Amino acid sequence: MPGNARLGLRFSTREEALLDDLDALLAAGGSTALLAVRNGRVVFERGHHAHRSSVASVRKSLIGILYGIAIEAGEIDLDATLEDLGIDDLSPLTPEEKQATIADLLKSRSGIYHPCVYGMEPGRPARGSHPPGTFWYYNNWDFNVLGTIYRQETGRTLAEAFQKLVAEPLEMQDFAAEDIFDVPGPESLHPVYKMRLSDRDLARIGHLFLKRGLWEQRRIVPEQWVEDSTTAWSALGGGRGYGYLWWTAEANALGDSLSIDVPIFYASGAGGQYIIVIAALDLVVVHRAADVRNGIIHARMGEILRALLRVIG
């Protein structure tokens, strides 16, 4: 159902009411675009779909795509430790911390609680409180270091890699290489990598994962990598989980306000940046809030998602 669906068309009172409910949620503040794609066809749209803005932490799921391709090509070893890779930081890592593997970083289970650029200071565990691989903590140190390791091991910047390996094969309409860039800081040797994309280009990522790494019958990402990325390696309680840089929610997961009556997996960023994949419905949903600081909370996204499903059936 396109964004101008009411123009010249007749709807039942119930259908009008459902559309009104969804539009009211989107108009309540923060939302700038909502796009739903079923089996490659747009079934609902609102907002400005070509506008490129910060994807916030969705960036983590996107770098995961590059890792899957590089691991398949033999450029990166999932089991390599930070010691193997020569990774350190301003406050030197301990011998135990250096035993964290790339897989631990992808799962956010490194056990390394060094200050980081764009760090989450409140609630950060003490250094040395958890050995590598034993404890899940959503840790920007892990995510930032993945950027460093990718550049080091492949010899490519994230921008050139994403453009060549993802944007071009997926025929992205709005992507520009300058929309991926590093931001250094005094806290750590490892910069944060930032990304800007449009929601219609993010929908392509969702469709790629919906189709298990295929794009128009061409293999872009290894199927096993999609499976591993969207497997809940860490159970976070109430049916919510974390894979390789993607979130998961079981059907009717009490611990995740985004959950619905079938399983989902999704990429999530601050302020309301989402790629939601609902395989049981052959559906990808993208939500954007161009102003990350004035977006929506996770619970509101759940309300929007459920209202959207009522509209599109």
Side-chain angles (χ1 to χ4, degrees):
M1 183 180 297
N4 63 351
R6 301 189 193 200
L7 300 180
L9 298 178
R10 304 183 71 177
F11 289 88
S12 69
T13 301
R14 180 179 180 276
E15 289 169 330
E16 288 284 358
L18 292 175
L19 283 166
D20 288 341
D21 289 346
L22 178 53
D23 284 338
L25 286 169
L26 295 173
S31 300
T32 54
L34 180 66
L35 184 64
V37 180
R38 177 171 282 158
N39 196 25
R41 175 178 173 268
V42 174
V43 292
F44 186 91
E45 56 179 336
R46 289 287 190 274
H48 306 288
H49 303 301
H51 179 67
R52 308 193 313 269
S53 60
S54 172
V55 300
S57 287
V58 170
R59 69 189 177 94
K60 299 157 189 175
S61 304
L62 300 185
I63 197 178
I65 297 171
L66 298 181
Y67 263 82
I69 295 170
I71 289 168
E72 175 76 5
E75 297 176 309
I76 292 177
D77 179 0
L78 192 63
D79 297 320
T81 66
L82 299 187
E83 182 176 43
D84 296 335
L85 299 165
I87 296 295
D88 213 329
D89 213 330
L90 295 175
S91 176
L93 302 185
T94 67
E96 182 178 57
E97 288 173 329
K98 288 184 179 180
Q99 297 314 300
T101 65
I102 290 176
D104 292 331
L105 298 176
L106 290 163
K107 297 174 184 176
S108 204
R109 299 178 70 94
S110 74
I112 301 171
Y113 309 122
H114 189 289
C116 60
V117 187
Y118 280 52
M120 292 80 76
E121 301 300 325
R124 187 176 65 202
R127 292 281 295 272
S129 57
H130 300 285
T134 65
F135 184 76
W136 182 86
Y137 171 69
Y138 191 74
N139 188 2
N140 270 348
W141 193 90
D142 293 3
F143 308 134
N144 295 349
V145 171
L146 286 171
T148 297
I149 292 171
Y150 186 87
R151 299 181 206 94
Q152 173 182 299
E153 296 302 296
T154 69
R156 296 186 293 270
T157 68
L158 297 180
E160 64 181 321
F162 193 84
Q163 180 166 26
K164 179 181 179 181
L165 301 175
V166 182
E168 291 178 2
L170 268 56
E171 301 175 359
M172 287 188 170
Q173 294 172 268
D174 309 307
F175 176 77
E178 59 265 26
D179 288 332
I180 299 181
F181 54 94
D182 293 339
V183 177
E187 303 89 348
S188 170
L189 294 174
H190 308 289
V192 62
Y193 50 92
K194 303 286 285 182
M195 297 186 178
R196 293 188 296 253
L197 280 88
S198 70
D199 64 325
R200 62 185 181 183
D201 283 348
L202 290 177
R204 286 169 161 80
I205 298 294
H207 187 75
L208 176 69
F209 269 59
L210 176 68
K211 298 303 181 184
R212 317 304 291 171
L214 290 176
W215 181 261
E216 296 182 349
Q217 304 308 309
R218 176 186 174 189
R219 174 64 60 190
I220 305 299
V221 182
E223 183 174 10
Q224 188 60 51
W225 185 257
V226 176
E227 177 68 26
D228 290 345
S229 297
T230 58
T231 294
W233 298 102
S234 298
L236 309 182
R240 195 182 197 201
Y242 197 75
Y244 286 162
L245 307 174
W246 286 79
W247 302 88
T248 68
E250 299 172 2
N252 301 310
L254 296 177
D256 193 333
S257 56
L258 196 63
S259 74
I260 55 175
D261 60 1
V262 294
I264 65 172
F265 62 87
Y266 60 95
S268 172
Q273 325 308 323
Y274 288 93
I275 308 171
I276 303 166
V277 179
I278 310 173
L281 303 180
D282 204 12
L283 184 67
V284 173
V285 177
V286 175
H287 179 277
R288 303 305 309 283
D291 185 350
V292 171
R293 295 167 298 180
N294 294 289
I296 65 168
I297 62 173
H298 194 64
R300 172 58 62 83
M301 186 64 230
E303 294 174 359
I304 291 172
L305 178 60
R306 287 184 284 275
L308 170 68
L309 294 178
R310 288 191 292 269
V311 168
I312 65 177

